[in-house]
Amino acid sequence: MKMRKVLALLAVCAFAVFALAGCGGSQNASSGSGSGAKVLKVGSSIDFAPFEFQDEGQKEYQGFDMDLIRAIGKEMGYEVEIQNLGFDGLIPALQGKNIDVIISGMTINDERKQNVLFSEPYYQSGLTMVVRSDEQGIKTFQDLKGKKVAVQMGTTSAAEVSKIDGVEVKTLNTPADCFMELKAGGVDAVVNDRPVNDYYITKSGATGVKALEEKLTAEDYGIAVGKDNKELQEKINAAFKKIKENGEYDKIFAKWFGEKK
Ligand code: ARG
């Protein structure tokens, strides 16, 4: 019957429209131009206040990196979608194209440059250590010989501490795990990024622990993109330049660190 054929045809068309609509919505930054909202898929290890963290009972990820990448994405005309991944899983996720960029307090270094492209540096950091307040035996990194030290897996802290002779390194999933281990007496020190250690001591009301002044390294943070994604690297650098010029970067910096460094 004719009517049946028309109905069947209509059903096929309707299905095709739905299927197409479904595809358009999730186009990501690496798939180039085209119609529909452009989405920047961002990976971050949300365990690193004040750069990326989540307050209890709050949905939104917050921190310096979160504000920075949202501002950069906005400048580029992309919708920013942030995924929480373990720090040591970030580069593999980028290589597997599950994400387009990493922003995660990630230090720019030569080893990582073999696998990713970095943006211009956006924050000057370095490594310091945290010990218990009553600690007498550890005043400098030299004193770590024969001690137990907690570090976050896959970080520069993990790499640097392993270079110090005679240290027993305990590799844990997050900086919070490291601090917990220190308080519980399972390790003698935590080596981690200076701004995160300082924030932990001063802002999160930690007691019974102190941060030491000495810096083991100086490090710069960068935003990472895929090794084959020069185009995105350039777009990010251009947007970053823009928000440095128009004062947006300074505003975000002041919000999280109080003053311009
Ligand atoms: N800056 C250090 C590194 O790149 C630690 C970064 C850790 N980031 C984080 N979100 N947990 O290895």
Side-chain angles (χ1 to χ4, degrees):
M1 252 196 184
K2 234 185 184 174
M3 192 59 184
R4 277 223 176 120
K5 260 192 191 160
V6 171
L7 280 176
L9 206 68
L10 271 176
V12 169
C13 288
F15 178 78
V17 166
F18 277 121
L20 281 176
C23 294
S26 62
Q27 183 183 34
N28 64 30
S30 33
S31 58
S33 60
S35 59
K38 286 187 285 182
V39 174
L40 190 66
K41 288 202 203 164
V42 177
S44 185
S45 183
I46 313 287
D47 57 12
F48 209 59
F51 293 93
E52 43 266 339
F53 62 105
Q54 190 174 24
D55 270 341
E56 227 169 291
Q58 285 226 313
K59 252 184 72 196
E60 186 93 338
Y61 298 144
Q62 49 174 330
F64 178 77
D65 284 352
M66 303 293 94
D67 287 349
L68 185 64
I69 198 65
R70 286 180 186 124
I72 287 173
K74 192 168 169 208
E75 186 61 49
M76 288 164 52
Y78 281 69
E79 199 181 297
V80 171
E81 223 177 70
I82 301 168
Q83 283 178 51
N84 184 9
L85 299 167
F87 188 75
D88 64 333
L90 289 169
I91 291 180
L94 192 62
Q95 291 175 314
K97 302 207 188 299
N98 298 323
I99 51 176
D100 304 309
V101 314
I102 298 168
I103 188 161
S104 199
M106 185 173 272
T107 300
I108 301 173
N109 65 24
D110 289 341
E111 192 193 330
R112 290 177 180 151
K113 275 188 194 163
Q114 296 181 358
N115 297 311
V116 305
L117 297 177
F118 280 107
S119 68
E120 294 296 325
Y122 69 83
Y123 184 90
Q124 287 181 353
S125 190
L127 304 179
T128 61
M129 68 182 144
V130 177
V131 295
R132 282 181 294 275
S133 305
D134 59 2
E135 175 65 55
Q136 296 300 321
I138 305 173
K139 299 217 155 50
T140 75
F141 282 95
Q142 297 304 311
D143 301 329
L144 288 181
K145 203 171 176 148
K147 305 283 188 202
K148 290 190 196 138
V149 180
V151 293
Q152 182 179 23
M153 194 181 292
T155 59
T156 48
S157 290
E160 292 299 329
V161 171
S162 316
K163 289 184 199 160
I164 308 174
D165 252 2
V167 177
E168 190 179 319
V169 187
K170 212 164 189 176
T171 307
L172 302 175
N173 283 323
T174 66
D177 290 345
C178 295
F179 294 134
M180 228 152 56
E181 193 67 10
L182 176 68
K183 286 189 143 198
V187 293
D188 306 299
V190 171
V191 173
N192 187 40
D193 297 44
R194 176 201 32 89
V196 176
N197 290 341
D198 291 350
Y199 191 90
Y200 170 65
I201 305 281
T202 59
K203 295 277 166 53
S204 73
T207 51
V209 289
K210 61 183 179 193
L212 302 182
E213 283 290 305
E214 190 196 3
K215 265 198 189 180
L216 181 61
T217 59
E219 305 182 1
D220 283 335
Y221 293 165
I223 300 168
V225 305
K227 190 100 199 195
D228 56 356
N229 212 345
K230 187 124 194 75
E231 190 187 326
L232 186 58
Q233 180 197 34
E234 278 162 8
K235 273 191 196 165
I236 287 172
N237 279 337
F240 179 59
K241 188 160 175 251
K242 195 86 173 273
I243 64 166
K244 278 203 109 170
E245 282 164 5
N246 70 16
E248 182 73 16
Y249 175 90
D250 286 352
K251 246 182 26 210
I252 297 171
F253 195 100
K255 174 177 168 190
W256 293 104
F257 302 106
E259 88 292 358
K260 181 82 189 78
K261 274 234 173 101

